[in-house]
Amino acid sequence: MTDSTNTPGATLIDGKAFAATLRAEVARKAAILKQRDNLVPGLAVVLVGHDPASEVYVRNKGKLTLEAGMHSFEHRLPDTTGQEELLALVQRLNEDPAVDGILVQLPLPDQIDTDAVLAAIDPDKDVDGFHVVNAGRLATGLPGMVPCTPLGCLMLLKHYVGDLSGLNAVVVGRSNIVGKPMAQLLLRESCTVTIAHSRTRDLPAVCRNADILVAAVGRPQMVKADWVKPGATIIDVGINRIPKEDGKTRLVGDVDLNDVSRVAGAITPVPGGVGPMTIACLLNNTLEAACLRRGLALPE
C-alpha cells in the first residue's frame, strides 16, 4: 500500500489511501461475519436539522456503510425536534437488535442537551466513543469503543512510525472528542505524553520537545516551523476554512503545512490526512461492536 508521498521537505502521510485500505479490510471482515455467523452489522445515524455540512457527512457515512457490506439506518429529524422525542428514538435504537452502532450527528439544536443525549446511548453501541463509560474504559485499559478521530490518528502513527514506545508526544488541545482520548491512546503505546492547551506557558517550547505532535485546537495554521523539532511526526487534526484572494475559501489545518514541512519528518495534510480516517474508523468500530456485543471473535 502506498500511504505517503515524498516531498522536498516532510513526507506527506496519505490518510485517504490508508482509509481506503481500512474500509476494504472492514468489508472483508464483514463478509466473513455474514458467512460464519449470519450476521450483518448495522449502523444507525441520527441527524437533527439541516446543517449542510452534517447532511453531506451523513450521506457519505451511509454510502460507505453500505459499501462495507453493513446495514445503514438513517433517521432524519426536523430542527424543531424536542429532547424527549430524540431520547425516545435513541432508546428504540438501543433496544433494536439489528443496530450495533448508534451515532447522533453533532452539533444538535440549542433546545437539546447534547450531554444527556450522548449519555442515553448504550455504551456498547456508542461507536463514536463519547459515552463516559467508554471514556473510563479507555482510561483504565479496558476494551471499549474509542473515538474515531484519535483512533485514526493512532493508526496512521503506528503505520508510519512503527513502535511508539518511549517517544515524547505532545497533544495540543484537551477536548473530550480528540485531545483527551488521543493522550490516553498514546499513553497506552508507552509514549511520554504532554497535553498542552490555551493556558500552557511557552507553548512553542513545549511543542519543540515532541517527537510526535498532534494539533487539535481549531486555530488555522497556528503551528509554525519554529514550534517543531526537526524530524518530528506531525498529526494535524484541524479543519478550518480561510478566505482566498478570489473570495472563495479553502481548507487548512491547525498546522502551517508549507512552513512546517521544511522541518518535520512527516505530516498529515489537510485535506486528505486525518479526515478520511474518521469514517473508516467509525465502520471499524461498528464491526467490533457487533462482535463484542455478542461475544463473537473478531474475524482475522
Side-chain angles (χ1 to χ4, degrees), residues 73-127:
F73 308 103
E74 287 188 12
H75 297 268
R76 294 174 179 260
L77 305 176
D79 54 15
T80 55
T81 299
Q83 182 161 316
E84 293 307 313
E85 183 182 351
L86 180 54
L87 288 172
L89 172 58
V90 169
Q91 186 56 36
R92 290 198 300 273
L93 296 175
N94 284 341
E95 296 170 356
D96 187 343
V99 173
D100 297 293
I102 301 170
L103 183 149
V104 178
Q105 183 67 39
L106 303 180
L108 292 168
D110 291 341
Q111 73 272 15
I112 295 175
D113 182 343
T114 297
D115 290 338
V117 172
L118 295 179
I121 298 171
D122 180 345
D124 292 338
K125 294 188 176 187
D126 167 40
V127 286

Side-chain angles (χ1 to χ4, degrees), residues 136-150:
R137 288 171 175 169
L138 178 60
T140 55
L142 295 174
M145 295 293 101
V146 177
C148 301
T149 298

Side-chain angles (χ1 to χ4, degrees), residues 214-237:
V214 181
V217 289
R219 293 182 59 184
Q221 300 177 320
M222 180 183 75
V223 177
K224 303 295 184 181
D226 62 357
W227 292 36
V228 174
K229 179 180 182 179
T233 301
I234 313 297
I235 302 293
D236 190 351
V237 185

Side-chain angles (χ1 to χ4, degrees), residues 22-23 26 29 33 41-43 68 70 99-103 123-130 134 138 143-152 155 185 188 277-294 298:
L22 178 58
R23 293 197 310 271
V26 169
K29 291 180 179 179
L33 270 185
L43 173 63
M70 300 192 287
V99 173
D100 297 293
I102 301 170
L103 183 149
D124 292 338
K125 294 188 176 187
D126 167 40
V127 286
D128 251 343
F130 295 162
N134 282 318
L138 178 60
M145 295 293 101
V146 177
C148 301
T149 298
L151 180 59
M155 287 182 178
L185 287 171
R188 198 165 71 179
M277 292 296 296
T278 299
I279 293 181
C281 287
L282 174 68
L283 300 177
N284 191 66
N285 277 357
T286 302
L287 183 84
E288 290 193 2
C291 294
L292 286 170
R293 291 196 322 112
R294 296 171 176 82
L298 192 67

Side-chain angles (χ1 to χ4, degrees), residues 7-286:
T7 64
T11 296
L12 295 182
I13 301 172
D14 190 345
K16 187 175 180 181
F18 191 100
T21 300
L22 178 58
R23 293 197 310 271
E25 184 68 4
V26 169
R28 184 187 67 80
K29 291 180 179 179
I32 293 172
L33 270 185
K34 184 175 182 180
Q35 182 178 25
R36 186 190 73 186
D37 302 296
N38 195 30
L39 170 62
V40 178
L43 173 63
V45 178
V46 179
L47 175 63
V48 183
H50 302 284
D51 178 76
S54 292
E55 287 189 330
V56 171
Y57 199 44
V58 167
R59 187 164 58 247
N60 287 340
K61 286 174 181 172
K63 174 175 175 285
L64 293 175
T65 301
L66 293 172
E67 286 182 4
M70 300 192 287
H71 291 313
S72 175
F73 308 103
E74 287 188 12
H75 297 268
R76 294 174 179 260
L77 305 176
D79 54 15
T80 55
T81 299
Q83 182 161 316
E84 293 307 313
E85 183 182 351
L86 180 54
L87 288 172
L89 172 58
V90 169
Q91 186 56 36
R92 290 198 300 273
L93 296 175
N94 284 341
E95 296 170 356
D96 187 343
V99 173
D100 297 293
I102 301 170
L103 183 149
V104 178
Q105 183 67 39
L106 303 180
L108 292 168
D110 291 341
Q111 73 272 15
I112 295 175
D113 182 343
T114 297
D115 290 338
V117 172
L118 295 179
I121 298 171
D122 180 345
D124 292 338
K125 294 188 176 187
D126 167 40
V127 286
D128 251 343
F130 295 162
H131 196 287
V132 65
V133 168
N134 282 318
R137 288 171 175 169
L138 178 60
T140 55
L142 295 174
M145 295 293 101
V146 177
C148 301
T149 298
L151 180 59
C153 294
L154 182 70
M155 287 182 178
L156 291 176
L157 280 169
K158 290 179 73 173
H159 188 82
Y160 177 77
V161 178
D163 182 14
L164 307 182
S165 177
L167 296 180
N168 287 330
V170 173
V171 180
V172 185
R174 52 180 167 176
S175 73
N176 292 332
I177 294 173
V178 179
K180 290 176 184 175
M182 187 76 248
Q184 294 290 351
L185 287 171
L186 289 165
L187 275 173
R188 198 165 71 179
E189 297 297 322
S190 298
C191 291
T192 301
V193 181
T194 300
I195 301 180
H197 44 77
S198 59
R199 301 290 180 88
T200 299
R201 296 182 181 179
D202 199 353
L203 180 58
V206 172
C207 292
R208 277 193 294 272
N209 284 325
D211 303 304
I212 297 167
L213 177 61
V214 181
V217 289
R219 293 182 59 184
Q221 300 177 320
M222 180 183 75
V223 177
K224 303 295 184 181
D226 62 357
W227 292 36
V228 174
K229 179 180 182 179
T233 301
I234 313 297
I235 302 293
D236 190 351
V237 185
I239 301 177
N240 313 284
R241 287 198 173 274
I242 62 171
K244 296 196 298 183
E245 291 182 359
D246 60 6
K248 297 180 181 180
T249 61
R250 66 186 180 97
L251 283 179
V252 298
D254 291 347
V255 177
D256 188 332
L257 180 65
N258 290 336
D259 192 33
V260 170
S261 291
R262 298 184 293 107
V263 180
I267 187 170
T268 57
V270 177
V274 172
M277 292 296 296
T278 299
I279 293 181
C281 287
L282 174 68
L283 300 177
N284 191 66
N285 277 357
T286 302

